[in-house]
Amino acid sequence: QVQLVESGGGSVQAGGSLRLSCLASGFTFEWYSMGWFRQIPGKGREGVGCINVATSTRYAGSVKGRFSISRDNTKNTVYLQMNSLKPEDTAIYYCAARSSTLCGDWQPDDFGDWGQGTQVTVST
């Protein structure tokens, strides 16, 4: 079955960096667009970015220029490099798979499979 396993979360001071990884299995990874989302307890899930099968990327305005998404199809892994982290980036981060070659509107409902999430905490 489909499995998405995130790793790389943790605590960091403002201005620091983290790289999240998401290892995928159970489907043909190279045919899927992959998204990153985040959620603060009590709030809805927010899109961070998406990468399609051609490695074109899209980002939320709040992270553009600071975060970057990449994928390695040989390792069935998608990455989220987060630089210049801010306290407001504190959230649980999820990766998700969309059975499409394109990101489209990359809304949460467009993604059928999700990882368990990894906590990112940014302190002042």
Side-chain angles (χ1 to χ4, degrees):
Q1 74 276 22
V2 173
Q3 271 199 312
L4 299 170
V5 180
E6 300 98 336
S7 61
S11 297
V12 65
Q13 287 192 322
S17 298
L18 282 174
R19 188 176 83 154
L20 305 184
S21 300
C22 173
L23 175 63
S25 61
F27 63 101
T28 307
F29 179 75
E30 61 188 354
W31 294 352
Y32 281 61
S33 294
M34 299 297 296
W36 283 98
F37 296 82
R38 64 188 182 186
Q39 188 167 21
I40 300 169
K43 295 192 175 183
R45 202 160 284 189
E46 173 191 27
V48 174
C50 183
I51 185 166
N52 68 15
V53 299
T55 69
S56 292
T57 52
R58 300 174 68 180
Y59 299 97
S62 58
V63 306
K64 195 173 291 185
R66 299 188 298 123
F67 291 11
S68 65
I69 299 175
S70 60
R71 64 191 298 162
D72 185 339
N73 291 342
T74 67
K75 296 181 179 179
N76 281 9
T77 300
V78 61
Y79 303 98
L80 178 64
Q81 177 67 45
M82 304 185 293
N83 300 325
S84 302
L85 282 160
K86 304 176 181 180
E88 51 264 43
D89 295 319
T90 295
I92 300 171
Y93 282 72
Y94 300 87
C95 70
R98 182 178 191 226
S99 58
S100 171
T101 59
L102 300 175
C103 288
D105 292 333
W106 57 290
Q107 296 298 306
D109 287 346
D110 296 334
F111 292 78
D113 296 285
W114 294 78
Q116 83 288 351
T118 185
Q119 177 71 47
V120 171
T121 303
V122 184
S123 59
T124 56

